[in-house]
Amino acid sequence: MNEIKTSGIICLKDEYDFEYKISDIDYIEYNQQEYTYLFYPKYHVIELLKPNLFQGIPGLDLDLKLKCYERKN
């Protein structure tokens, strides 16, 4: 199976321009028709953030505290 993988980081800036690294993310595309996103939350950072600054990552239940969340297509 042919695949292309792209990796990145989800970041958040506060009102003082301080940047928080919230999660690592991988995007994997298979045969140009199917794809998967893999999220690796950084809970030690997320737990420091106030609710008015960070409300979560849409579509992920961070209360589960999973090491990796997966979204397909």
Side-chain angles (χ1 to χ4, degrees):
M1 180 184 326
N2 247 355
E3 69 179 42
I4 299 171
K5 181 178 177 182
T6 304
S7 298
I9 302 172
I10 297 174
C11 297
L12 171 70
K13 279 191 179 180
D14 67 11
E15 66 271 14
Y16 303 105
D17 236 14
F18 188 81
E19 186 174 274
Y20 301 90
K21 294 180 180 179
I22 302 298
S23 178
D24 292 325
I25 183 170
D26 291 331
Y27 171 77
I28 305 169
E29 187 177 294
Y30 309 96
N31 299 325
Q32 300 179 358
Q33 294 178 3
E34 297 179 14
Y35 57 88
T36 300
Y37 287 97
L38 300 172
F39 297 85
Y40 304 92
K42 298 182 178 292
Y43 294 108
H44 63 283
V45 175
I46 292 171
E47 291 169 355
L48 297 174
L49 302 175
K50 296 180 182 176
N52 64 335
L53 180 61
F54 179 72
Q55 294 83 41
I57 299 172
L60 302 184
D61 184 357
L62 296 176
D63 290 335
L64 297 175
K65 303 275 189 198
L66 299 177
K67 183 177 179 180
C68 179
Y69 293 83
E70 182 176 357
R71 280 195 205 158
K72 291 187 174 194
N73 293 354

